[in-house]
Amino acid sequence: MNTDLLAGKVVLLTGGTEGIGFECAKVYNAAGAKVCIISNSLQSLNQAKNNLHNQGIHYVCTDISVADEVQAAIEETIMVFGKIDIVHNNAGISNPSSTLCETTDDEWNRLFDVNVKGIYHTTKYAIDQLIKNRGVILNTGSLVGEIGQERHAAYTATKGAISALTKSMALDYAASGIRVNAVAPAGVWTPMLRSWSHQQINKHEIEDYLDNIHALGYCPNSDVIADACLFLVSDQARFITGCVLPVTGGAELGYRKILQPNQASV
């Protein structure tokens, strides 16, 4: 890894204590950035702190669905590191795993408050810094925002919203030199995916299913997504904006493998 790729940069990273966010925190910091990790769980923040042992990482307990808390977290980040160059909106929730009509009002509202409104809050309160520093915004979306998913209506709706929002934000802020992109994974082994898999009717078959939906033949860990995120927030992607980048192992090319070569009919 180029340890100077993000030298001198400050990253505000939501949901950075586990899964994709945790791996991003590691690669951003290793590439030279200072990182402020935001999570709504003090326990999760402490666990990340114990596991990272890195210099240049600050931790703030914040619920990104609450405007005042996000504003305070951004002010604290600026107080600690002096500026913000990059905002990575990674925090998200997936529950419930249910159809639209089985989803309660509270579940629906919470999903949109965290997954979509959180982006509104971080952008609103960090925009002055991003304009000043010609910064970058990265959103963590999902392939299911494009193709849908059974028993996950509200969650996929939030991810579809993130894809559209990313493109609109890219147009709105391009004149200020701000790039806005998203990553769209398919399956990735994170604690959230493990929780989802346990809610499925065919939970004993999920691992094989998740391997088989990817053309490359396996469901990856979070590091492969973090590497793509590092590229998008760095100057190596300096002429890329409004992109929703699939990091999917080819899942969108054919969502299930039906036959292996040695099983084909003759």
Side-chain angles (χ1 to χ4, degrees), residues 184-266:
V188 182
W189 283 121
T190 64
M192 189 164 72
L193 184 66
R194 292 287 181 190
S195 175
W196 170 84
S197 68
H198 294 153
Q199 298 175 50
Q200 304 311 302
I201 297 170
N202 59 337
K203 58 186 177 183
H204 299 299
E205 303 170 3
I206 287 295
E207 288 202 20
D208 286 341
Y209 166 76
L210 288 169
D211 284 341
N212 289 334
I213 65 174
H214 299 88
L216 291 180
Y218 66 97
C219 183
N221 291 315
S222 299
D223 60 312
V224 301
I225 313 302
D227 287 343
C229 292
L230 176 61
F231 165 70
L232 285 174
V233 302
S234 76
D235 284 345
Q236 290 190 336
R238 60 192 174 276
F239 203 62
I240 299 175
T241 197
C243 173
V244 181
L245 179 67
V247 190
T248 60
E252 71 276 21
L253 304 178
Y255 211 63
R256 295 172 185 264
K257 291 181 182 177
I258 304 300
L259 295 175
Q260 299 295 329
N262 63 355
Q263 296 174 314
S265 299
V266 295

Side-chain angles (χ1 to χ4, degrees), residues 48 72 84 100-101 112 115 127 160 176 178 194 213 222 237 254:
I84 295 173
L100 180 68
C101 294
F112 274 88
N115 294 4
I127 193 63
S176 298
I178 297 170
R194 292 287 181 190
I213 65 174
S222 299

Side-chain angles (χ1 to χ4, degrees), residues 122-139:
T122 59
T123 304
K124 179 178 180 179
Y125 294 114
I127 193 63
D128 288 345
Q129 285 288 308
L130 296 173
I131 291 173
K132 178 181 178 181
N133 300 316
R134 298 178 70 85
V136 178
I137 299 171
L138 179 63
N139 301 321

Side-chain angles (χ1 to χ4, degrees), residues 11-25 28 35-40 45 58 60 62-65 69-70 73-74 77 86-93 114-115 117-123 126 137-140 159 162:
V11 181
L12 180 78
L13 171 63
T14 70
T17 59
E18 59 183 33
I20 292 170
F22 183 75
E23 292 299 323
C24 285
Y28 294 162
V35 182
C36 180
I37 295 176
I38 289 177
S39 172
N40 69 340
L45 285 167
H58 185 66
V60 182
T62 298
D63 184 342
I64 61 168
S65 71
E69 292 191 24
V70 175
I74 287 171
T77 304
I86 298 162
V87 173
H88 183 175
N89 295 298
N90 175 73
I93 58 175
V114 173
N115 294 4
K117 199 171 186 179
I119 296 174
Y120 165 68
H121 287 150
T122 59
T123 304
I137 299 171
L138 179 63
N139 301 321
T140 299
K159 293 302 183 177
I162 288 170

